[in-house]
């Protein structure tokens, strides 16, 4: 499912100053040679984002077991991390394939030998579409599926590809009111399916969509909106199956990292010998201490012992104490995510953060750490703070290399791996 030799070769890459926060002592060394020196986190400059090995391993296992028990296939959304090393771990744990969002991401995945790819997007770019068609012709063992949400999309794909040796499988995307892409009604989606069936360039592979665009919380109204949408996905699939439009086993796909429990609840009934339900959750691999820590169905308060836990942390250093209850940290928007909530102080100078300590704002390269009730001398210049982060997708894309620590709770965690990202 992935070229393990290509993934392992990432450890042969030479480290240098192009990798943010990697210490000068590592420059000129291959990753594997630097790891052999048993480095620790204290050797890295701040700011830095780390991954926690214990929680990475646990999260991958928790999600794999949960999906399997629910009778779902799992194609983790690779755009969350764009890290082939982590994709390999997810595939090794039993994932059915890797989901991606753009044509370029597909090309990157193919460069690392990923054999089953679900592109959760329409593909009408001529350069990439022709490249993918040629790649499929050259590799019988590669499976690829993309989306279409309009008759115009199908027409454009057909115009670009013409008659092909191996038609591209396409999923009809159903959307919802005020959502993202996707046909806005079942009837419209059925017209898209008919267009796919009559095209010489594509074949109908299934139905799907993204329920996360319809709600942003777990209020009753939000959950009801997601359930209603997933019921429409099921109805669309049933209608297309009854019309005999599928060629081969059908895919029904939904499920980000916020409502995968509802996907199981509403779509598990469609699973049979002719239909598979594919979840596309991505954020679970590192989870977070913000948005997903609250909304995910797989947190401790909802599922007990077998739960997801945050495997990413930000580390930043106090560089200024211009006011008694304000500390400026050397990290900002270019280092830590902020679109789904600001970072949250967890430990400051090796001690648990006090109640009321919080990040009030981020500039490009600074974080405003408010320290009400704390004397300036208690958080002096040079103090290192560990921060909880929210939203993995916009954490990974700020780092070309992420150190993996053995235990983020240790006084000076040991670096056990370095994860390359491709954005």
């Amino acid at each position: 499912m992935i070229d393990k030799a290509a993934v392992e070769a990432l450890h042969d890459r030479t480290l240098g100053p192009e990798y943010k926060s990697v210490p000068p002592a590592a420059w000129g060394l291959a990753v594997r040679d630097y790891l052999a020196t048993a480095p620790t986190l204290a050797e890295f400059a701040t700011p830095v984002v780390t991954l926690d090995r214990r929680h990475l391993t646990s999260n991958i296992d928790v999600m794999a077991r949960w999906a399997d028990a629910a009778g779902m296939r799992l194609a983790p959304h690779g755009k969350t991390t764009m890290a082939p090393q982590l994709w390999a771990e997810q595939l090794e744990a039993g994932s059915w394939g890797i989901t991606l969002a753009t044509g370029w991401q597909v090309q990157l995945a193919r460069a690392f030998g990923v054999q089953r790819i679900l592109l959760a997007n329409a593909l009408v770019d001529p350069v990439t579409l022709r490249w993918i068609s040629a790649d499929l012709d050259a590799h019988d063992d590669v499976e690829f599926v993309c989306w279409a949400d309009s008759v115009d999309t199908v027409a454009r794909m057909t115009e670009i590809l013409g008659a092909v040796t191996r038609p591209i499988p396409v999923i009809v995307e159903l959307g919802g009111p005020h959502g993202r892409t996707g046909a806005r009604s079942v009837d419209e989606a059925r017209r898209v399916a008919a267009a796919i069936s009559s095209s010489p360039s594509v074949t109908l592979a299934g139905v799907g969509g993204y329920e996360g665009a319809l709600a942003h919380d777990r209020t009753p109204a939000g959950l009801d909106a997601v359930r209603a949408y997933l019921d429409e996905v099921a109805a669309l699939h049933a209608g297309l199956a009854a019309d005999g439009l599928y060629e081969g086993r059908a895919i029904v796909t939904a499920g980000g990292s916020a409502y995968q429990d509802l996907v199981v609840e509403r779509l598990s009934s469609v699973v049979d010998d002719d239909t598979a339900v594919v979840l596309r959750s991505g954020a679970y691999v590192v989870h977070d201490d913000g948005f997903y820590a609250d909304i995910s169905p797989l947190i401790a308060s909802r599922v007990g012992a077998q739960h997801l836990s945050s495997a990413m942390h930000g580390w930043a250093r106090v560089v200024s104490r211009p006011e008694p209850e304000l500390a400026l940290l050397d990290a900002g928007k270019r280092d830590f995510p902020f679109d789904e909530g600001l970072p949250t102080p967890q430990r400051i100078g090796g001690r648990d953060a006090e109640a009321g300590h919080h990040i009030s704002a981020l500039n490009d390269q600074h974080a405003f750490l408010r320290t009400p009730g704390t004397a300036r001398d208690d958080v002096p210049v040079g103090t290192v703070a560990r921060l909880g982060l929210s939203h993995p997708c916009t954490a990974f894309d700020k780092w070309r290399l992420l150190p993996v620590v053995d235990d983020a709770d240790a006084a000076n965690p040991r670096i056990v791996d370095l994860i390359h990202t491709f954005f």
Side-chain angles (χ1 to χ4, degrees), residues 52-66 74 89-90 93 282-288 298 306-312 392:
D52 189 304
R53 181 71 266 171
R54 298 171 305 150
H55 296 306
L56 277 174
T57 300
S58 176
N59 290 344
I60 291 170
D61 181 67
V62 165
M63 189 64 191
R65 290 176 181 271
W66 185 86
L74 178 62
E89 292 188 38
Q90 292 169 299
Y284 77 89
V285 66
V286 293
H287 197 53
D288 71 6
L298 299 182
Q306 298 300 311
H307 63 85
L308 301 178
S309 51
S310 180
M312 66 174 182

Side-chain angles (χ1 to χ4, degrees), residues 144-206:
F144 172 82
V145 183
C146 64
W147 290 12
D149 69 352
S150 71
V151 172
D152 289 344
T153 301
V154 179
R156 181 62 179 145
M157 293 183 71
T158 302
E159 178 186 350
I160 293 167
L161 293 172
V164 294
T165 304
R166 188 176 172 186
I168 292 179
V170 175
I171 284 172
V172 177
E173 181 191 2
L174 182 67
H178 313 297
R180 198 167 62 186
T181 51
R184 288 302 197 251
S185 70
V186 170
D187 286 343
E188 184 180 349
R190 291 180 69 122
R191 287 192 289 273
V192 178
I196 293 170
S197 294
S198 63
S199 169
S201 309
V202 296
T203 60
L204 184 62

Side-chain angles (χ1 to χ4, degrees), residues 68 81 96 114 137 190 195 279 288 321 380 392:
D68 184 63
T81 65
W96 175 80
V114 178
D137 284 344
R190 291 180 69 122
L279 296 171
D288 71 6
R321 292 301 314 265

Side-chain angles (χ1 to χ4, degrees), residues 98-143:
I98 295 293
T99 297
L100 294 163
T102 71
W104 172 79
Q105 292 174 3
V106 173
Q107 291 171 327
L108 187 279
R110 288 294 300 124
F112 280 92
V114 178
Q115 291 180 290
R116 183 180 287 129
I117 296 170
L118 194 163
L119 177 64
N121 209 342
L123 183 59
V124 293
D125 167 59
V127 173
T128 310
L129 186 56
R130 291 181 183 126
W131 181 90
I132 287 174
S133 179
D135 188 59
L136 291 175
D137 284 344
H139 299 94
D140 292 339
D141 58 348
V142 173
E143 298 178 40

